[in-house]
Amino acid sequence: MRQFGNWLYNTFLANWMRRILTLLGLAAAGVLLYVFLPPIGEADRCATGVERHGGECIGVNGTGYAFGTPEIDKVARAIAKENEEFVGDKPHVTVALMMPLQPDIAAERIQLRSEIQGAYLAQYRANREENTPLLRLVLANPGDSYAQQERVVDQLADLADDKKENLRAVTGFNLSLDATKKAIARLTDELHIPVLASRVSADELANPERGTEDPYPGLARIIPTNRQQADALASFHGELRDEQTVLVRDKREHDIYNNSLAKAFSRDEKGPPGPKDQTFESPSITDPGDTGNDFTLIAQNICQSTARYVYFAGRPVHLRLFALKLADVQCRGKKYTIVSGSGAATLNRYMKDGDWERLRGGGKEPLVTVQYAAPGHPDAWDRELRGTKDPQARAHLAEPRAELNRLRALIDKGSAGDIGPVPLEDSRTMLVYDGTRTVAKAVLLANAQTEGTVPPLKRVSDMWQRLEAVNRVRGTSGWICLTNAGNAYDKPVAVVELDPRTEKLRFVGIGWPEGRPQPQDCRVPSDT
């Protein structure tokens, strides 16, 4: 009887229990997979309008998502509040701020915060001072080095077609790369979406002044090109003979900022020839790789030359390392000035403990100083106005100062909410603020010329060439008056120095691409 009972248990009951337990286990596993993994064939969603691709959260969002970057959390939430509570369902246009939003390096996360703060503060002010339509701001992440820009451009195209969203401009663009060029080309030439580039300075990302056809129809830019920056620096320093200068340039492919800056710094055969160009190749924008070894050898070669001014066409990470290696050589007490472009505007944030002393060679006076062409500086207007007595010449200084004071008041009063610390010294907040204000001005002018409250895309881009003279934009970084090609005419350049004595950035003076200040009332001449 016992054997029969065991046979019954093993044959029926145990088997059924195992089957039930197996089914329960499979069901539990299925629930876990459903909860924690995305459905097969679907991307992992990070937030509204944002999906995970290649380990990054790519997409467009204006509801407070910070893309996993804690430094921008407060300003992202402030944008969401403005969009939801102030704009809401009122007549509005959408403006997208497009730039990589998940940088790995702390210095880049801080400068990203500055840029987003500039866009938000301009949105906040425009919504309270201008007529309808209001501005709705969204953040668009194209991925590291704009590598996934195609996905984002697709989304922006949909937002431009959406009658509720009404995307009317894309601004931002803070890296001059081949991928950036492709994004701007598709937005403007294929999709006819207006683009206002506030930070990219490469000449390849500008429409030619006398070209028969614009490669980027509908593109405007408010930062001087690298060629204009080099002209402004040359005007500021006076004529340097070639024997006094040497060019150090990064020849890494696909970085059109480096290539454009190197071309801009190329010498025009003034006096006896100087030393040949010194080239290096970095692995990426933020990776020094083994460039330190190259820089030591380059510094030794420069030591044996007559050059005292070094034009540097490269990114801040490599500029910092080169400056240190040049100081380490300590060539018979020889002192150098390194001159670079606007990409160096955040160089001080890359400096580490002990760097300043190395630039001083262990003493009090610097062996190496770094000067760069900044697109703006908060000390510029007060300093320049103190030395200017001509009333006719003062307007191009006084109006930007007044605009800067309005921005400072907005920050100091905190009326726009807690968006974190807002330093102005690196010019990034100022430039993106001016860029977004320029978009708002174009939308306002376009709306005044059309029926309804939301102008069509082309009407907005048509307004770029109207922004001069009485319709100039009074920017914190200077007057913004655009040529017919959409380029800023004779935009002032702030010459800024990284001072090893004070371990701070120091405003030195203003250079003008045309060799003289902008014309009265910012009227663009016909020969531009």
Side-chain angles (χ1 to χ4, degrees):
M1 189 69 180
R2 181 180 297 173
Q3 290 179 345
F4 179 71
N6 289 338
W7 176 80
L8 285 173
Y9 176 81
N10 291 329
T11 303
F12 296 101
L13 187 59
N15 283 341
W16 278 107
M17 289 179 66
R18 279 195 293 270
R19 290 173 183 171
I20 292 171
L21 290 174
T22 300
L23 289 172
L24 289 173
L26 289 173
V31 170
L32 291 174
L33 287 172
Y34 178 80
V35 171
F36 292 103
L37 292 178
I40 296 175
E42 293 186 16
D44 182 9
R45 181 179 172 186
C46 300
T48 302
V50 183
E51 295 178 346
R52 189 179 304 279
H53 296 281
E56 296 183 277
C57 289
I58 306 300
V60 182
N61 180 274
T63 61
Y65 179 59
F67 292 83
T69 305
E71 286 82 352
I72 69 172
D73 182 66
K74 287 183 177 180
V75 67
R77 284 191 275 115
I79 291 171
K81 182 178 180 182
E82 180 74 4
N83 289 341
E84 294 167 9
E85 297 182 8
F86 196 88
V87 178
D89 294 327
K90 303 183 187 92
H92 68 269
V93 300
T94 297
V95 177
L97 182 69
M98 185 173 176
M99 55 184 59
L101 297 173
Q102 294 178 292
D104 295 328
I105 298 177
E108 292 190 348
R109 293 195 295 271
I110 293 172
Q111 69 190 38
L112 172 65
R113 180 182 64 198
S114 295
E115 290 164 335
I116 298 175
Q117 287 170 333
Y120 165 67
L121 291 168
Q123 176 202 22
Y124 183 91
R125 183 174 166 197
N127 281 346
R128 285 153 183 80
E129 293 186 2
E130 311 292 356
N131 297 322
T132 57
L134 300 173
L135 294 190
R136 179 174 179 268
L137 185 64
V138 295
L139 304 180
N141 182 28
D144 184 36
S145 299
Y146 289 81
Q148 302 193 59
Q149 52 84 19
E150 289 186 13
R151 299 180 189 274
V152 175
V153 172
D154 287 342
Q155 284 183 265
L156 296 174
D158 292 339
L159 293 177
D161 291 336
D162 191 316
K163 299 302 181 184
K164 181 180 179 181
E165 300 291 344
N166 296 315
L167 178 77
R168 286 299 176 267
V170 183
T171 188
F173 299 103
N174 57 348
L175 293 172
S176 298
L177 303 170
D178 279 347
T180 316
K181 184 177 180 179
K182 291 176 182 177
I184 293 176
R186 185 173 168 218
L187 284 166
T188 55
D189 193 29
E190 178 183 334
L191 300 172
H192 310 295
I193 297 175
V195 170
L196 189 289
S198 53
R199 292 289 316 177
V200 288
S201 59
D203 292 72
E204 291 84 346
L205 290 173
N207 289 320
E209 290 300 337
R210 296 173 183 84
T212 56
E213 185 175 347
D214 292 339
Y216 313 105
L219 170 66
R221 43 180 301 129
I222 65 167
I223 188 173
T225 64
N226 286 336
R227 177 72 262 176
Q228 291 172 321
Q229 292 180 26
D231 289 343
L233 287 168
S235 173
F236 181 80
H237 285 295
E239 297 295 330
L240 293 175
R241 299 187 305 276
D242 282 1
E243 62 182 338
Q244 297 175 283
T245 67
V246 61
L247 173 64
V248 177
R249 62 182 179 88
D250 189 345
K251 59 180 183 179
R252 175 168 44 83
E253 294 183 347
H254 308 303
D255 193 329
I256 59 178
Y257 169 79
N258 294 337
N259 297 333
S260 175
L261 193 58
K263 290 179 183 177
F265 281 152
S266 294
R267 290 153 291 183
D268 298 322
E269 299 182 0
K270 298 182 182 71
K276 71 176 185 180
D277 295 354
Q278 302 290 313
T279 64
F280 67 97
E281 187 170 357
S282 66
S284 74
I285 291 176
T286 57
D287 185 0
D290 60 0
T291 55
N293 295 328
D294 279 341
F295 289 155
T296 296
L297 299 176
I298 289 172
Q300 291 170 350
N301 288 340
I302 293 175
C303 171
Q304 301 302 316
S305 75
T306 56
R308 293 182 179 274
Y309 286 82
V310 182
Y311 293 120
F312 188 89
R315 297 289 181 173
V317 166
H318 312 110
L319 174 55
R320 167 192 165 269
L321 187 56
F322 172 72
L324 294 174
K325 293 295 184 180
L326 188 60
D328 287 345
V329 169
Q330 296 198 18
C331 182
R332 303 183 301 276
K334 194 175 177 182
K335 296 182 180 181
Y336 299 96
T337 298
I338 301 175
V339 180
S340 195
S342 57
T346 49
L347 178 61
N348 63 317
R349 290 181 178 161
Y350 290 88
M351 299 295 285
K352 301 177 181 179
D353 292 341
D355 285 356
W356 301 101
E357 185 176 0
R358 286 176 67 182
L359 293 180
R360 295 193 299 266
K364 294 182 178 180
E365 294 300 314
L367 297 177
V368 174
T369 56
V370 180
Q371 287 186 356
Y372 60 87
H377 193 278
D379 294 340
W381 312 120
D382 284 339
R383 284 274 304 275
E384 293 296 309
L385 276 166
R386 282 200 294 268
T388 303
K389 296 180 180 180
D390 182 5
Q392 294 291 335
R394 290 174 64 88
H396 65 272
L397 304 173
E399 288 187 358
R401 181 177 68 172
E403 185 65 24
L404 179 60
N405 287 340
R406 292 188 188 99
L407 173 60
R408 280 175 165 149
L410 186 60
I411 295 169
D412 294 342
K413 290 178 181 178
S415 53
D418 181 10
I419 57 175
V422 190
L424 299 177
E425 287 74 16
D426 68 356
S427 77
R428 291 182 180 268
T429 297
M430 294 169 60
L431 255 288
V432 180
Y433 174 87
D434 287 351
T436 309
R437 293 277 295 165
T438 302
V439 171
K441 179 92 170 188
V443 170
L444 179 65
L445 292 178
N447 185 53
Q449 301 296 323
T450 58
E451 294 183 2
T453 57
V454 177
L457 288 165
K458 189 176 185 304
R459 191 62 190 167
V460 176
S461 58
D462 284 346
M463 291 301 102
W464 296 145
Q465 60 187 310
R466 303 289 175 251
L467 299 181
E468 61 154 339
V470 67
N471 290 315
R472 64 185 178 272
V473 177
R474 294 159 174 83
T476 63
S477 59
W479 277 350
I480 297 167
C481 33
L482 301 182
T483 67
N484 286 338
N487 301 314
Y489 177 71
D490 200 20
K491 183 79 184 300
V493 167
V495 181
V496 179
E497 184 173 275
L498 192 73
D499 190 348
R501 289 166 296 191
T502 61
E503 302 185 4
K504 295 179 180 178
L505 294 177
R506 182 174 70 89
F507 171 74
V508 181
I510 284 182
W512 301 90
E514 297 294 322
R516 60 187 182 280
Q518 293 160 307
Q520 185 179 359
D521 295 332
C522 208
R523 293 187 295 267
V524 179
S526 61
D527 59 349
T528 301

